[in-house]
């Protein structure tokens, strides 16, 4: 698996462990965002310092008996039991007092280790207290996926209410572009729309192959490394995974509310039966609830979508295509006939939102989106739908539609303008822009309409990806 270069994050973590000790930093990111790999890469490069240990836990869903400890270059035996943990902390403090080189103690999935092992937690607290009392060159890095849990440990146990926090976000569009510099924007969009934005999936992409070939090799081929990953995660995280899989499949195929999910899953006879399953999927990050940006704070109206495009792709496209391979059809034919367009049309506006939020719009092409967004979402009501909407950091409000798989027309701009008149979101702002994001260009009539109307902005796919 190839590493997606994330130099700014590595530099921030390096700066944290080079600061005068004792120092504490937390490394936080969603699962599969590359937190563990980032930690390992930085620690391996610390030839001038000693790394006491890193702790990498068992996979989610596997019962944790004790964290699997891998000590690196320090020659410290693995602690077993209260006395061993206490001896470990004492020996490390004595070592630091001798004036030898600084030590980095990095714990991956720290809350899981510390919450499950009181001896380890007590030893770490004693180590930190001793280092602070004597101003010893100890650098502690707590890594994990739950920012609240890391903050609780830093504050209540270590006495550091506001530690330096380094966030590891999902892979950005510009990071993917740097990883695949020779790919055209359409191919980069395709791979992100199908494999999502995690290091785990995108890091397996072979830049020398086309996007569809990568999809076939990685996710559709029964021997591919990603072919069963979403189903495997469901089995690990939930009892009765088939119930959860039914909800996920319905959302992958276009359902967006309770009615649509229930129609696709007749086993749920009422909303009361569906509610706990949908809540559990939200809690574990599978499903993202959304409220229209112009909805009142007390509004209970919600729409739901899958948080990971890869999960949507796997359920809607990859699993059926794999079944065709298993039935003996040729890979070339399966790749050529994959029903990708429906999936791509569904995720197109979501990825366009993310591009605006990340601030990667190519201003040489658009010329009128100078800053990134601070709020992005959708607008919908009884007679309007604007899936790409939000507020930029300079206060301007944008309202947009995405046109996938065809040339954008004047009618698309008129649809967006009519929707603009129907919503109160951003009403009264001086700057209000209507975006028409298009994957296949625009008709001459639309180009002329955009030139006449200062509110309209035509955004080609290549300006985002």
């Amino acid at each position: 698996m190839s590493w997606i270069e994330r130099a700014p994050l590595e530099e921030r973590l390096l700066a944290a462990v080079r600061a005068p000790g004792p120092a504490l930093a937390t490394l936080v990111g969603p699962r599969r965002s590359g937190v563990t790999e980032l930690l390992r890469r930085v620690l391996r490069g610390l030839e001038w310092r000693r790394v006491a240990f890193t702790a990498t836990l068992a996979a989610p869903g596997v019962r944790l008996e004790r964290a699997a400890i891998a000590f690196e270059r320090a020659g410290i035996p693995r602690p077993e039991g209260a006395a061993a943990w206490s001896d470990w902390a004492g020996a490390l403090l004595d070592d630091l007092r001798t004036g030898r080189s600084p030590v980095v103690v990095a714990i991956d999935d720290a809350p899981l280790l510390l919450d499950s092992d009181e001896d380890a937690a007590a030893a770490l607290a004693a180590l930190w207290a001793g280092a602070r009392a004597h101003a010893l060159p100890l650098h502690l890095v707590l890594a994990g996926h739950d920012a609240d849990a890391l903050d609780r440990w830093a504050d209540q146990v270590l006495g550091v209410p506001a530690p330096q926090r380094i966030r590891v976000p999902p892979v950005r569009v510009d990071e993917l572009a740097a990883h695949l510099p020779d790919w055209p924007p359409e191919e980069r969009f395709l791979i992100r729309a199908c494999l999502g934005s995690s290091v785990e999936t995108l890091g397996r992409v072979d830049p020398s192959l086309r996007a569809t070939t990568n999809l076939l090799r990685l996710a559709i081929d029964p021997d591919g490394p990603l072919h069963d990953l979403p189903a495997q995660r469901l089995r690990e995280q939930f009892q009765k995974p088939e119930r959860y899989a039914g909800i996920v499949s319905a959302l992958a195929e276009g359902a967006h509310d309770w009615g649509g999910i229930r129609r696709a899953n007749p086993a749920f006879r009422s909303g009361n039966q569906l509610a706990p399953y949908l809540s559990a999927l939200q809690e574990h990050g599978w499903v993202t609830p959304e409220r229209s940006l112009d909805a009142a704070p007390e509004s209970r109206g919600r729409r739901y979508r899958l948080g990971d495009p890869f999960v949507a792709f796997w359920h809607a496209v990859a699993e059926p295509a794999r079944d065709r391979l298993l039935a003996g059809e040729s890979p070339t034919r399966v790749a050529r006939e994959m029903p990708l367009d429906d999936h791509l049309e569904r995720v197109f506006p979501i990825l366009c939102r993310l591009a605006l939020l990340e601030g990667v719009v190519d201003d040489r092409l658009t010329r009128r989106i100078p800053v990134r967004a601070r709020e992005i979402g959708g607008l919908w009501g009884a007679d309007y739908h604007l899936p790409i909407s939000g507020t930029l950091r300079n206060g301007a409000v944008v309202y947009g539609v995405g046109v996938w798989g065809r040339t954008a027309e004047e009618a698309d701009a008129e649809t967006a303008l009519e929707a603009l008149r129907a919503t109160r979101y951003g009403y009264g702002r001086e700057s209000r822009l209507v975006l028409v994001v298009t994957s296949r260009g625009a008709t001459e009539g639309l180009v002329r309409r955009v030139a006449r109307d200062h509110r309209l902005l035509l955004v080609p796919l290549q300006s985002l990806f």
Side-chain angles (χ1 to χ4, degrees):
M1 190 166 100
S2 61
W3 172 247
I4 296 177
E5 192 62 41
R6 314 191 82 179
L9 291 173
E10 293 187 27
E11 291 169 2
R12 287 193 63 195
L13 183 54
L14 277 171
V17 297
R18 286 172 176 160
L24 169 66
T26 59
L27 190 65
V28 185
R31 292 195 180 277
R32 294 171 290 278
S33 62
V35 168
T36 298
E37 185 59 27
L38 178 68
L39 187 62
R40 287 174 175 166
R41 283 175 62 88
V42 171
L43 295 180
R44 289 191 192 116
L46 294 179
E47 299 297 340
W48 51 278
R49 297 194 175 195
R50 292 170 300 134
V51 177
F53 68 82
T54 62
T56 302
L57 302 181
V62 178
R63 181 174 177 269
L64 178 69
E65 296 180 355
R66 180 178 291 275
I69 307 296
F71 290 87
E72 299 181 12
R73 295 198 299 273
I76 305 173
R78 171 176 171 169
E80 294 287 356
W85 276 110
S86 177
D87 292 345
W88 165 79
L92 196 51
L93 284 172
D94 289 341
D95 185 79
L96 287 165
R97 288 192 189 100
T98 65
R100 296 176 61 192
S101 60
V103 170
V104 178
V105 175
I107 309 179
D108 192 17
D109 267 340
L112 191 53
L113 168 64
L114 300 176
D115 288 339
S116 65
D117 195 322
E118 294 181 359
D119 301 332
L124 188 67
L127 174 64
W128 179 249
R132 293 184 71 181
H134 299 282
L136 300 176
L138 172 70
H139 293 80
L140 180 59
V141 180
L142 302 182
H145 312 291
D146 187 335
D148 292 338
L150 288 172
D151 286 347
R152 172 175 54 82
W153 263 99
D155 184 10
Q156 299 178 10
V157 179
L158 303 180
V160 184
Q164 179 182 0
R165 177 184 292 177
I166 301 171
R167 292 188 177 275
V168 183
V171 178
R172 292 164 47 99
V173 172
D174 54 346
E175 291 174 328
L176 182 61
H179 185 59
L180 303 170
D182 298 327
W183 282 29
E186 295 80 5
E187 293 275 292
R188 289 199 290 264
F189 167 79
L190 176 59
I191 208 69
R192 188 173 189 186
C194 296
L195 295 188
S197 55
S198 76
V199 171
E200 180 185 32
T201 54
L202 294 177
R204 297 181 183 274
V205 172
D206 185 343
S208 67
L209 303 176
R210 294 199 59 183
T212 52
T213 306
N214 271 287
L215 296 177
L216 188 68
R217 179 180 65 89
L218 296 173
I220 297 173
D221 188 324
D223 296 323
L226 306 177
H227 84 283
D228 198 38
L229 192 58
Q232 178 185 332
R233 291 177 190 161
L234 282 173
R235 292 192 295 268
E236 290 174 348
Q237 292 182 357
F238 302 111
Q239 294 181 347
K240 297 183 178 179
E242 65 280 356
R243 289 286 185 98
Y244 295 95
I247 296 173
V248 171
S249 293
L251 292 169
E253 293 171 2
H256 58 73
D257 57 18
W258 283 44
I261 296 170
R262 284 182 57 195
R263 284 191 293 273
N265 292 274
F268 294 110
R269 295 187 296 275
S270 70
N272 288 338
Q273 287 183 318
L274 173 62
Y277 291 92
L278 192 56
S279 296
L281 286 168
Q282 292 178 57
E283 181 181 348
H284 285 82
W286 288 76
V287 173
T288 299
E290 291 187 330
R291 183 176 65 187
S292 179
L293 290 176
D294 60 356
E298 65 274 11
S299 171
R300 300 182 63 185
R302 294 287 188 277
R303 289 186 173 184
Y304 301 90
R305 63 177 176 84
L306 292 174
D308 186 353
F310 170 58
V311 174
F313 164 75
W314 191 87
H315 281 272
V317 180
E319 189 177 26
R322 183 186 61 178
D323 291 342
R324 292 178 60 184
L325 283 179
L326 292 173
E329 293 192 47
S330 73
T332 302
R333 181 175 180 180
V334 169
R336 186 175 62 248
E337 297 179 359
M338 281 192 298
L340 273 174
D341 270 349
D342 288 343
H343 166 72
L344 296 176
E345 186 172 7
R346 283 190 289 266
V347 301
F348 183 49
I350 305 301
L351 296 187
C352 291
R353 288 186 205 169
L354 289 176
L356 289 172
L357 195 64
E358 294 172 359
V360 297
V361 176
D362 187 342
D363 196 51
R364 292 171 300 173
L365 292 168
T366 64
R367 301 186 184 280
R368 291 171 57 191
I369 304 184
V371 293
R372 70 177 63 186
R374 67 167 178 243
E375 178 185 48
I376 282 292
L379 290 163
W380 61 82
D383 55 355
Y384 65 93
H385 183 210
L386 288 164
I388 308 169
S389 305
T391 303
L392 304 182
R393 291 184 184 273
N394 64 358
V397 180
V398 294
Y399 312 80
V401 294
V403 181
W404 174 262
R406 63 175 175 83
T407 304
E409 304 171 348
E410 283 187 83
D412 297 308
E414 188 56 42
T415 297
L417 289 168
E418 289 177 3
L420 168 62
R421 291 188 282 268
T423 176
R424 300 291 294 178
Y425 179 73
Y427 183 78
R429 295 291 180 92
E430 291 184 5
S431 181
R432 304 171 81 192
L433 294 174
V434 176
L435 314 181
V436 179
V437 189
T438 171
S439 65
R440 294 190 180 177
T443 63
E444 184 177 348
L446 176 56
V447 172
R448 290 178 176 175
R449 177 71 182 276
V450 169
R452 294 194 307 268
D453 193 332
H454 70 279
R455 296 171 300 172
L456 288 174
L457 181 61
L458 192 61
V459 183
L461 176 70
Q462 59 265 34
S463 72
L464 298 176
F465 299 93

